[in-house]
Amino acid sequence: MKEDQSQKPLLEAQNIELRYNDKPILKELSMDILSGGVTALLGTNGSGKSTLLKTMARLLMPQKGCVYLDGHAIAKESPRSLARKMAILPQSPEVPMAITVRELVEQGRYPHVGPLRMLKKQDHAAIEEALEVTGMQAFEQRPLDSLSGGERQRAWIAMAIAQSTPVLMLDEPTTFLDVRHQLEILELVRRLNQERGTTIIVVLHDLNQAARYADRMVVLKDGRIVRDGTPDRVLTEAVLQEVFGIHATVLKDPVAGTPIFLPHSVVHREG
Amino acid sequence: MNKLIRNRNPYEMTYKIGLLAALLLVLILCVMHIAFGKVVISPQHILRALANVQEEEHHRQIIWQLRLPRTLIALVAGAMLGLAGAILQSITRNPLAEPGLLGVSAGSVLMIVIWITFADGLGDATRYLPLVAWTGGIGTVLFVNALSLGKGMDITRLALVGILTGSVLQSCTSLILLRHTEAVGSILLWMIGSLNGRVWVHWDMLWPWALVIIPLGLLSAGAANALQLGQSTAASLGVSVRRMRWMMLILAAVLTAGAVAAVGAIGFIGLIGPHIARRLVGQDARRLFPFSTVVTGVLLLGADVIAQAVSFELHVFGLSSQVSLPVGAVTAFMGAPFFLYLIKQKRKSH
């Protein structure tokens, strides 16, 4: 499932520099994303992982550098044409909404039909598929504000899926969910990648989960990429100590075979 | 059975029934609105007068010259305020947003007051009131927007600047009021909002604009739906967030100023109408916008029926026959407690 097509990157960030209030968040950062994989962006709070995701989705504009999708600079694309190529689900917007799940998922068709044709009820196969793949069919007429956190998150993901884009980005999709719902979301993400070939970039907090579900782990620290590779190569005791500041033991997950860590203590730095 | 219930949109049903009920209410309120006033006219007389029966000449005059235009203005001005409120609540994602929020009403009123105090004697002054109000309203939106421009389009900041600008503009109006005590009566009516003395001239300056702007507002529902999912989500759906939001702000400003030009700064109605509508038909703008429009029209008409009835009572009790309650006082008097009730209810349900 990895790197099955040409080796030309699908998405390419080149020398990205982004400052917020004069504070540099991303520093001369470059990254390539090949078509078809699940890439997890990781790092401590404030490492710039979310910022990198938003920059690649053009929700933020870098002061320097450029992001290319299929060889075209995304900064020059029209919003709607870009939204037909990639979807991003921002960190879950916790506003109670009195609209039904189906009405939310319908919004995913916006880039395909535009504001005026969105006045009509959208009736597209992509909507049914999105409801089905997320298991939200039974909930389609339920108001969003009557759902549990996990169900709501799945509804939002369904909206992004209905957008039918080859690239899907998710910003901490498992935050605030209990462990079962976290796994549900991650399994869904994995399935989207395997069954539909969707290229997925996801910001995650949980390193063990990232190792379990991603093909590639990219670790950021202070706005730079410090580790990049398969879970086996990235989730190591050295990385945990240097980047995340903890002493830990890395084991092999007896079921999945992926690396898994057990934290022991905080690294106390001198001075 | 279960599947049937599951597959039905819960808001859709309320929407259809609600629209029917609202239209029925419009009819009933129209009759009441025409009936009440200093002279109470019975429904038979109304029908006969509307049919231009000869011996009803007196009633015919009252209805055709005084009451009917007022009824229509109440409905349409209310509708415009309701739609403006719904648009603002959607794009700011704040249920407390209302037409007065961005200082639009205050700006329009100030310009109107300046116009009627200083341009009096220009003859056809009333005809230009909408333009005057729009200058004030749109000017205020531009000003507020320019001041709150910073990184992105921060809605909280926009609202804050809007409220502050609104109060400054309002105190300007008060200053004029203090300088021109002879015009206190009419200035106050603009500030509170009133339908007294609204006749065909006012209707003629209201309807052409309403006919253009209300449909435009309703057509913006598709974009509003995306916008109310939040700035980032809307952007990821391919919405040009800044441009769309800007266009809808202007739309709301134009709707508000149009209504203010006809009836003054009527408070609360543009807040409560959309609020009631949202509770009944949900947040999908494709239902919310038309429903808010109708509901708020009904509310303003209902409030004016009360205003007229109360004015009439005062007359009976031997007070000055000139006393007539401005409808803006009714909406504030009934609207504020009603709103408190809604807020309290909402607390309970969560």
Side-chain angles (χ1 to χ4, degrees), chain A:
Chain A
M1 76 212 90
K2 266 182 293 178
E3 300 154 30
D4 54 350
Q5 276 138 41
S6 69
Q7 291 306 300
K8 241 181 76 186
L10 177 65
L11 194 60
E12 219 180 335
Q14 272 183 12
N15 305 318
I16 300 294
E17 236 184 87
L18 193 138
R19 283 181 303 275
Y20 190 76
N21 288 341
D22 285 334
K23 193 175 159 250
I25 309 288
L26 299 176
K27 302 166 187 164
E28 283 286 318
L29 189 150
S30 295
M31 182 172 77
D32 291 351
I33 302 277
L34 298 175
S35 177
V38 176
T39 305
L41 300 183
L42 304 144
T44 52
N45 293 333
S47 60
K49 54 189 191 303
S50 270
T51 306
L52 175 59
L53 190 80
K54 286 182 198 143
T55 308
M56 288 196 297
R58 212 182 66 172
L59 293 183
L60 293 174
M61 290 291 190
Q63 274 88 15
K64 263 195 217 155
C66 195
V67 179
Y68 299 92
L69 177 68
D70 265 334
H72 302 287
I74 61 168
K76 292 195 179 115
E77 278 207 61
S78 83
R80 263 177 67 191
S81 121
L82 189 65
R84 288 192 290 263
K85 295 174 191 159
M86 58 186 185
I88 176 168
L89 190 66
Q91 233 167 33
S92 60
E94 277 302 308
V95 274
M97 289 275 285
I99 60 173
T100 64
V101 170
R102 197 188 174 86
E103 282 161 357
L104 177 69
V105 178
E106 263 184 82
Q107 300 308 313
R109 301 310 297 166
Y110 188 99
H112 300 274
V113 302
L116 283 184
R117 273 161 66 205
M118 279 305 286
L119 287 170
K120 243 182 63 187
K121 270 223 169 326
Q122 296 303 305
D123 186 24
H124 196 274
I127 295 175
E128 306 301 329
E129 266 182 67
L131 286 167
E132 198 193 312
V133 77
T134 50
M136 292 304 285
Q137 270 171 326
F139 298 88
E140 63 170 325
Q141 300 299 5
R142 289 267 300 276
L144 214 55
D145 50 10
S146 74
L147 302 179
S148 73
E151 290 159 354
R152 208 176 302 160
Q153 184 66 296
R154 261 156 53 206
W156 282 96
I157 294 179
M159 179 194 78
I161 294 173
Q163 218 171 315
S164 317
T165 54
V167 181
L168 176 61
M169 303 185 194
L170 303 134
D171 196 355
E172 296 194 23
T174 52
T175 315
F176 306 125
L177 298 183
D178 55 48
V179 67
R180 183 202 146 96
H181 290 117
Q182 288 183 16
L183 286 196
E184 237 173 48
I185 299 292
L186 291 167
E187 278 175 12
L188 168 63
V189 164
R190 191 83 203 129
R191 219 167 51 240
L192 283 173
N193 169 252
Q194 286 172 342
E195 290 169 11
R196 309 169 140 231
T198 309
T199 305
I200 288 172
I201 307 164
V202 56
V203 171
L204 288 175
H205 252 302
D206 190 311
L207 295 167
N208 285 335
Q209 286 179 351
R212 171 96 164 72
Y213 290 98
D215 305 312
R216 173 181 174 196
M217 291 169 76
V218 177
V219 180
L220 279 87
K221 190 183 178 183
D222 298 329
R224 289 196 174 90
I225 292 175
V226 289
R227 286 292 190 291
D228 183 352
T230 58
D232 282 323
R233 309 209 11 208
V234 172
L235 191 56
T236 59
E237 282 158 20
V239 170
L240 286 166
Q241 189 174 334
E242 286 158 28
V243 182
F244 293 93
I246 54 168
H247 295 295
T249 310
V250 173
L251 306 167
K252 202 176 172 79
D253 180 329
V255 179
T258 49
I260 184 169
F261 80 93
L262 296 173
H264 296 314
S265 62
V266 172
V267 175
H268 292 283
R269 292 187 179 90
E270 310 297 317

Side-chain angles (χ1 to χ4, degrees), chain B residues 195-349:
Chain B
L195 280 155
N196 296 339
R198 292 299 181 276
V199 286
W200 291 117
V201 196
H202 303 95
W203 170 247
D204 284 340
M205 65 180 212
L206 182 66
W207 74 261
W209 301 102
L211 202 64
V212 177
I213 306 157
I214 290 180
L216 277 180
L218 295 176
L219 285 177
S220 71
N225 267 343
L227 279 176
Q228 65 180 346
L229 298 177
Q231 191 164 330
S232 305
T233 310
S236 87
L237 287 171
V239 179
S240 317
V241 176
R242 252 167 194 277
R243 207 171 61 200
M244 278 291 180
R245 213 185 245 169
W246 179 230
M247 272 166 55
M248 296 188 66
L249 272 181
I250 293 288
L251 254 178
V254 172
L255 280 164
T256 308
V260 172
V263 298
I266 294 179
F268 282 104
I269 210 100
L271 174 68
I272 291 171
H275 215 84
I276 295 173
R278 187 165 344 94
R279 293 197 150 213
L280 292 173
V281 303
Q283 252 167 305
D284 189 323
R286 292 170 296 183
R287 285 187 305 267
L288 181 64
F289 282 11
F291 203 67
S292 299
T293 309
V294 176
V295 165
T296 317
V298 168
L299 280 181
L300 189 57
L301 189 60
D304 200 43
V305 168
I306 295 171
Q308 281 195 322
V310 172
S311 310
F312 165 69
E313 291 275 329
L314 290 175
H315 176 57
V316 164
F317 288 130
L319 285 153
S320 157
S321 61
Q322 293 302 310
V323 171
S324 43
L325 202 59
V327 69
V330 176
T331 60
F333 192 71
M334 313 205 30
F338 181 65
F339 197 61
L340 282 175
Y341 165 76
L342 283 184
I343 291 169
K344 201 157 173 265
Q345 272 236 315
K346 203 171 178 182
R347 264 276 158 81
K348 250 188 234 160
S349 70

